[in-house]
Amino acid sequence: EVQLQASGGGSVQAGGSLKLACVVSGYSFDDYKIGWFRQAPGKEREAVSCIDISDGVKYYKDSVKGRFTISSDNAKNTVYLQMISLEPEDTGVYYCAADRFVTIVPGFCYSGMEDWGKGTQVTVSS
């Protein structure tokens, strides 16, 4: 069973930056698709950014394009989400998730991934 540990959340003012990290353990890192998802109060969980570790294909939600960057460090079994120019609308609990079998394409990331870590809170104040 794969395990995921997300970290790096915090409270920042609008325009600020945060870098989230997701450490993945339990299976071959290269086999996985990893996603960052967020859930704001009263809203459904949504995919923010996803990456296929094997071929590097990435997905970004339209509203974060140009502001968020997903990357992976295979030596550390870690996926990062660098977030800049944060907006109050980015507030929420951010989760990382993993799945070996979903397909990542630039226009879509499946939200029903198999394994989930505990979330990390991101709060952006105006």
Side-chain angles (χ1 to χ4, degrees), residues 8-104:
S11 296
V12 298
Q13 292 189 328
S17 301
L18 286 171
K19 187 174 185 178
L20 307 183
C22 176
V23 179
V24 183
S25 61
Y27 267 103
S28 175
F29 186 67
D30 291 352
D31 291 342
Y32 276 91
K33 288 75 170 173
I34 308 294
W36 284 101
F37 301 83
R38 70 186 179 196
Q39 186 162 24
K43 295 186 178 180
E44 293 187 357
R45 186 174 62 201
E46 60 182 359
V48 176
S49 184
C50 304
I51 184 169
D52 186 327
I53 300 299
S54 65
D55 61 14
V57 174
K58 300 174 183 179
Y59 160 85
Y60 292 99
K61 178 180 171 60
D62 284 346
S63 64
V64 308
K65 288 179 180 177
R67 301 188 297 120
F68 290 13
T69 303
I70 192 169
S71 62
S72 67
D73 183 335
N74 291 23
K76 296 182 178 180
N77 284 11
T78 301
V79 172
Y80 300 98
L81 186 67
Q82 175 70 59
M83 307 184 293
I84 66 171
S85 301
L86 282 161
E87 303 169 353
E89 293 74 22
D90 296 318
T91 293
V93 179
Y94 282 67
Y95 301 87
C96 60
D99 198 297
R100 285 179 290 165
F101 304 112
V102 299
T103 298
I104 303 298

Side-chain angles (χ1 to χ4, degrees), residues 111-125:
S111 293
M113 290 192 175
E114 183 175 16
D115 297 293
W116 292 78
K118 293 182 179 180
T120 184
Q121 176 71 44
V122 172
T123 303
V124 185
S125 58

